[in-house]
Every structure is written in C-alpha cells, then in structure tokens.
Amino acid sequence: MKTADPRPSTTPSYFSPELAARTTASGIELGDGNVAYWTYEPVRVVPETRTILVIHGFRGDHHGLLRVADQLPEMRIIMPDLPGFGSSGAFASGQHTVENYGRFIADFMAALGLGADTVLLGHSFGSIIAAHFVAANPGAVTPLILINPIAAPALEGPKGIMTKLAVLYYRLAARLPRRLGLALLRSPLIVRVMSEAMAKTDDKELRRFIHGQHHAYFSAFANRESLLESFTASVSGHVAEVAGKLTLPVLLVAGEKDEIATLPDQHRLATLLPEGMLQVIPGVGHLIHYETPEQAAGFIRSFLKDHPA
C-alpha cells in the first residue's frame, strides 16, 4: 500500500517557507481503497477564511496545485490524490469514471465532515469531475471554481485528431506486455514533449521547474487499467454538458493560449452558466496552476469575497 509523504515537494524559489508549516499529510480508508490527502491550514483565520476542496487533473496529483495553495495562506485547503493517482490506490471495484469519481467526492466529504459551505475547485479533468458532482448533488458545496475547465467535447473540433491519437496511445499501452506498456506510458521523452507543448512561459527557470514537476509526478498512477479508464473518462465528458444544472455561482479561470481548453469554448461555457463568471489570464495556456498561480489566487480570493459562506 502506498503511503503519503508528509513533506510537500518544494523548490525554494517557487514555494514560500510557510507552506511546509501549513501542511499535514493524512490517509483514510474510503470504500474499497486507501486515499491520501493533504491539508493546508490557514496561516491566520480571518472572516474570509474558507475550506476549499481541490480536485486535480488527469495524471496529476496534489503537487500540481501547490503553488495556488501557497498563494492563499488565509484559506484552509484540502487536496486528495484522486483514486488511481499519486499516493491513493485505485478503485478496487468499479471503473474510474466521472460518475464514480463524483461518488468519491461525496464519500470523502462525508468522511471529513465537510459541509455545504465547502468551496469545490477543479482543474482540467478535475473540472469535469467537480461540475458533474455539483450537477448531481445540488447544494452539496458552494461556490464552484474551475481552472482551465474542459468546456467542450475533446473528440470534436480542431483538437479532435490529437485526442484520437492519444486514445490510441493509451489503448496500445494497456494492451502491450506489462513492462513495455508501462515503459511507453512513463517514457521520459513523451512526458517531456507533453510538458513542452503545454508550457507557454518564456522564463527558462520556470520551464525547468514545470518539466521537473511533470517528470516527478506525471507517471504516479496505480496501474495501466485505471489510467486507461480515467483517460477515457477525461475525453468522454465536459463541463458544458451539465452547465445548465450548475445553479450556484461558478468562477471560470481560463488561459488565453490554452490549446486543450480553448478560449472560444470558455466564452461559450460562460454563456451557458446561470451564474457564471469568466476570468482570462493573458499569455498562459493549460498550466495556470504552475505559471500564473498569483493571478489565479487573486481571482479566487475576489470571487469568494463576493460570494461569502
């Protein structure tokens, strides 16, 4: 069984000294598996302090959102590794679908005693999971924050060809002999190509940091089967298909240069939300959480101030 590392993986130039002091690592037996999660307590409790439950993206884990958490020292932030990723075990029964990840959120919140005043935040694939959870469980959280939300079908439009190639990649890796399949999935070259494609910053040191993060954590998945199921879920759903059911306040934080969740799709999604707000960060793509965490945190702070518990 995997265990949680109590120390956040940090680089001094990209994380504050206070982050480690705020961090508590925990594990919980939930349903049919062990879930690792990290809590970042507020440096000081103020009237604006809220509890934010963070759902990370595909092939990520809690490390990906650390820079955003670091920029919100007045908030209590809880970040689990989703089942099948990071230090959490895969679902022992049932597939890794958006619906089952939604059930995981419900069970996790119940186990930790998180009430309806909890803020739910999802990044990328996590935006699909969070949005579908809210649509199926109205009143469970408020409000909803989506960073780099997947706003449209991945298999349609200009990016559809690349998505279909990715589908073939994951299916091939799942069918090859185990050693070859894992080598393909964890190929440093493929991970680096992906990282180079998503990074938009011209800051060489920051790009080096981003590539290091992807190299360290992008291949931390439980097994090939759960990874294929999660990938299938990530390209089979999107936020717009449940937008009309998201009747709570919703903040969308989008990247101007995002080639995965494109800006036109973000604008269309915003028009479908009963109470949505779109904030666009210039010059960044799908890695807002790495490249522009200060701006993202500023939008989150302002949004929560306008929508108190």
Side-chain angles (χ1 to χ4, degrees):
M1 180 184 297
K2 299 176 181 177
T3 58
D5 182 352
R7 300 164 300 175
S9 178
T10 61
T11 299
S13 58
Y14 291 106
F15 297 95
S16 74
E18 291 79 19
L19 183 62
R22 295 174 59 196
T23 305
T24 301
S26 306
I28 185 173
E29 291 293 332
L30 200 62
D32 54 9
N34 177 265
V35 174
Y37 67 95
W38 285 256
T39 304
Y40 304 86
E41 298 293 349
V43 172
R44 62 189 180 283
V45 176
V46 296
E48 294 79 19
T49 297
R50 300 287 297 274
T51 295
I52 305 176
L53 175 59
V54 175
I55 307 300
H56 64 74
F58 177 69
R59 286 193 72 160
D61 62 14
H62 73 285
H63 291 94
L65 278 296
L66 274 180
R67 294 199 74 202
V68 177
D70 198 14
Q71 295 296 320
L72 294 167
E74 76 278 24
M75 301 296 175
R76 178 178 182 244
I77 299 174
I78 301 174
M79 301 201 299
D81 284 351
L82 286 175
F85 295 100
S87 296
S88 293
F91 291 133
S93 60
Q95 293 194 346
H96 296 72
T97 62
V98 171
E99 183 181 13
N100 284 337
Y101 276 125
R103 291 195 185 100
F104 159 75
I105 293 177
D107 293 343
F108 184 78
M109 288 184 64
L112 270 63
L114 301 179
D117 59 343
T118 302
V119 180
L120 184 60
L121 184 154
H123 171 256
S124 191
F125 177 41
S127 73
I128 302 175
I129 296 171
H132 281 251
F133 167 77
V134 170
N137 299 273
V141 298
T142 189
L144 176 64
I145 299 170
L146 305 177
I147 299 178
N148 294 119
I150 305 301
L155 293 169
E156 299 177 8
K159 61 183 181 291
I161 294 176
M162 293 304 297
T163 301
K164 290 172 184 176
L165 288 175
V167 170
L168 292 176
Y169 164 72
Y170 282 102
R171 287 179 177 172
L172 174 63
R175 291 172 181 171
L176 286 171
R178 185 176 182 276
R179 172 180 271 181
L180 288 177
L182 288 175
L184 180 62
L185 289 170
R186 291 177 170 146
S187 165
L189 176 61
I190 292 177
V191 171
R192 182 58 177 264
V193 168
M194 174 279 305
S195 188
E196 290 282 2
M198 290 196 293
K200 302 303 178 185
T201 180
D202 293 326
D203 184 324
K204 292 183 179 179
E205 185 179 349
L206 179 56
R207 289 183 76 93
R208 191 177 302 114
F209 167 77
I210 292 168
H211 299 331
Q213 291 285 294
H214 284 143
H215 176 75
Y217 306 118
F218 199 67
S219 296
F221 52 86
N223 55 62
R224 293 181 297 166
E225 293 74 23
S226 64
L227 186 65
L228 175 60
E229 290 171 0
S230 296
F231 174 75
T232 302
S234 75
V235 299
S236 300
H238 54 92
V239 177
E241 61 190 343
V242 295
K245 297 180 180 180
L246 304 179
T247 56
L248 75 176
V250 181
L251 171 64
L252 308 177
V253 183
E256 177 194 22
K257 296 183 177 180
D258 195 335
E259 296 166 343
I260 295 175
T262 64
L263 194 53
D265 289 338
Q266 305 299 327
H267 283 289
R268 281 193 289 271
L269 173 59
T271 66
L272 298 175
L273 294 167
E275 195 176 346
M277 172 184 287
L278 172 62
Q279 298 285 8
V280 179
I281 301 179
V284 69
H286 204 64
L287 303 181
I288 285 173
H289 54 310
Y290 282 138
E291 295 188 31
T292 57
E294 300 90 348
Q295 292 94 318
F299 288 138
I300 292 169
R301 183 178 290 109
S302 178
F303 182 70
L304 293 182
K305 183 176 181 180
D306 292 339
H307 300 89

